[in-house]
């Protein structure tokens, strides 16, 4: 008899602050479930700003004010709010040290890690490097160090970082996300049928996972979970 397992596809960007918070809240929900060890997570790329240079000359505040046209006071309030929300999940965001960078190369490296069953470990390392450690995630040298730390073969990761391998896979994820109607991340797809948008509270994830576990089925993507003011997302125009 085939073992029942629940698949979850998560669309996100390593440059999305709510994606790290959403990851933690989702993990908290999974850990509380009696079938948590039967939940299979696959990470997918959703690049928020393809136009961002590999190395942005300026701070995160500069980037959001200049590139996104957001008022400085709004940016300050948003970063203060997201930092507090992150702290509530045990994350130590440091926006003063953060180095804005194009995420495409990091997402290609994540694609390699997924093939080597190191996707979740790599996603965690990339998010932490970007938001907590002030690492330049647009730097191939820095990315090589992260790849080594999670256990990827150094020659394999170097090959990815020096060329364009997995570029098609990253773009394909973006195409699939648009087909699903994803306009902001994080976005969670349960059993390829049920969708949850944003960094919802862990209780919402837990409820949805329980529901899908009991009634896997259906043919169309349905939105699950009660909309919550905490279900923030980041989109191409900025973060909520």
């Amino acid at each position: 008899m085939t073992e029942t397992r629940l698949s979850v596809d998560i669309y996100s960007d390593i440059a999305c602050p709510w994606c790290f918070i959403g990851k933690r809240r989702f993990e908290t929900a999974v850990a509380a479930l009696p079938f948590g060890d039967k939940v299979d997570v696959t990470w997918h790329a959703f690049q928020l700003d393809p136009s961002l240079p590999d190395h942005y000359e300026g701070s995160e505040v500069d980037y959001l004010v200049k590139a996104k046209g957001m008022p400085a006071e709004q940016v300050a309030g948003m970063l203060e709010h997201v930092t507090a929300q992150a702290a509530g999940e045990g994350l130590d965001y440091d926006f003063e040290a953060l180095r804005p960078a194009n995420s495409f190369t990091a997402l290609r490296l994540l694609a390699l890690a997924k093939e080597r069953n190191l996707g979740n470990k790599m996603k965690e390392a990339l998010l932490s490097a970007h938001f907590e450690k002030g690492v330049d995630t647009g730097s191939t040298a820095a990315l090589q160090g992260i790849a080594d730390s999670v256990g990827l073969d150094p020659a394999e990761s170097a090959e990815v970082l020096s060329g364009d391998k997995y570029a098609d896979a990253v773009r394909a994820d973006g195409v699939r996300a648009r087909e699903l109607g994803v306009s902001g991340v994080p976005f969670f797809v349960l059993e390829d049928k049920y969708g949850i948008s944003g960094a919802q509270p862990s209780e919402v994830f837990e409820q949805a996972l329980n529901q899908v576990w009991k009634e896997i089925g259906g043919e169309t993507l349905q939105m699950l979970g009660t909309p919550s003011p905490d279900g923030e997302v980041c989109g191409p125009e900025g973060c909520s």
Side-chain angles (χ1 to χ4, degrees):
M1 184 176 178
T2 304
E3 179 186 39
T4 300
R5 303 193 67 82
L6 198 162
S7 69
V8 181
D9 295 277
I10 307 176
Y11 291 83
S12 72
D13 193 353
I14 69 154
C16 161
W18 289 112
C19 290
F20 204 0
I21 295 169
K23 181 178 187 293
R24 274 293 180 277
R25 291 175 177 172
F26 178 81
E27 289 167 342
T28 298
V30 171
L33 297 168
F35 56 88
D37 61 339
K38 295 179 175 60
V39 176
D40 299 321
V41 173
T42 302
W43 293 98
H44 296 277
F46 186 97
Q47 196 180 22
L48 289 169
D49 188 358
S51 69
L52 188 62
D54 288 340
H55 309 281
Y56 182 81
E57 296 300 327
S59 67
E60 180 75 349
V61 172
D62 294 332
Y63 166 65
L64 293 172
V65 170
K66 295 174 184 175
K68 299 300 181 183
M70 299 171 65
E73 289 134 4
Q74 181 185 347
V75 170
M78 183 187 75
L79 296 185
E80 183 178 347
H81 172 64
V82 77
T83 299
Q85 292 292 311
E89 305 302 327
L91 303 174
D92 186 19
Y93 280 13
D94 187 350
F95 282 107
E96 288 189 9
L98 190 150
R99 309 278 294 278
N102 192 294
S103 61
F104 194 76
T105 301
L107 293 170
R108 290 193 299 107
L109 191 62
L110 176 61
L112 167 65
K114 284 163 54 179
E115 284 195 355
R116 300 296 176 262
N117 296 316
L118 292 168
N120 198 63
K121 196 172 180 182
M122 174 59 79
K123 185 70 175 183
E124 178 76 18
L126 289 169
L127 286 164
S128 179
H130 188 72
F131 287 107
E132 297 182 304
K133 300 174 182 176
V135 173
D136 181 0
T137 51
S139 160
T140 54
L143 290 173
Q144 182 70 59
I146 294 171
D148 294 347
S149 74
V150 303
L152 280 173
D153 178 86
E156 272 196 316
S157 49
E159 181 186 1
V160 171
L161 293 171
S162 64
D164 64 353
K165 199 170 181 181
Y166 297 106
D168 288 345
V170 172
R171 295 189 187 101
D173 275 350
V175 170
R176 178 58 179 153
R178 288 191 291 275
E179 290 173 351
L180 291 171
V182 178
S183 58
V185 288
F187 194 90
F188 304 76
V189 181
L190 283 57
E191 280 297 304
D192 208 24
K193 295 178 175 69
Y194 305 98
I196 304 174
S197 177
Q200 297 284 345
S202 58
E203 295 80 8
V204 172
F205 287 123
E206 188 175 346
Q207 179 186 19
L209 288 162
N210 265 311
Q211 181 178 334
V212 174
W213 182 253
K214 292 175 183 176
E215 51 181 73
I216 290 174
E219 297 179 356
T220 58
L221 185 70
Q222 303 171 40
M223 298 305 297
L224 287 183
T226 304
S228 163
D230 292 325
E232 292 96 339
V233 299
C234 291
E237 301 308 315
C239 299
S240 60

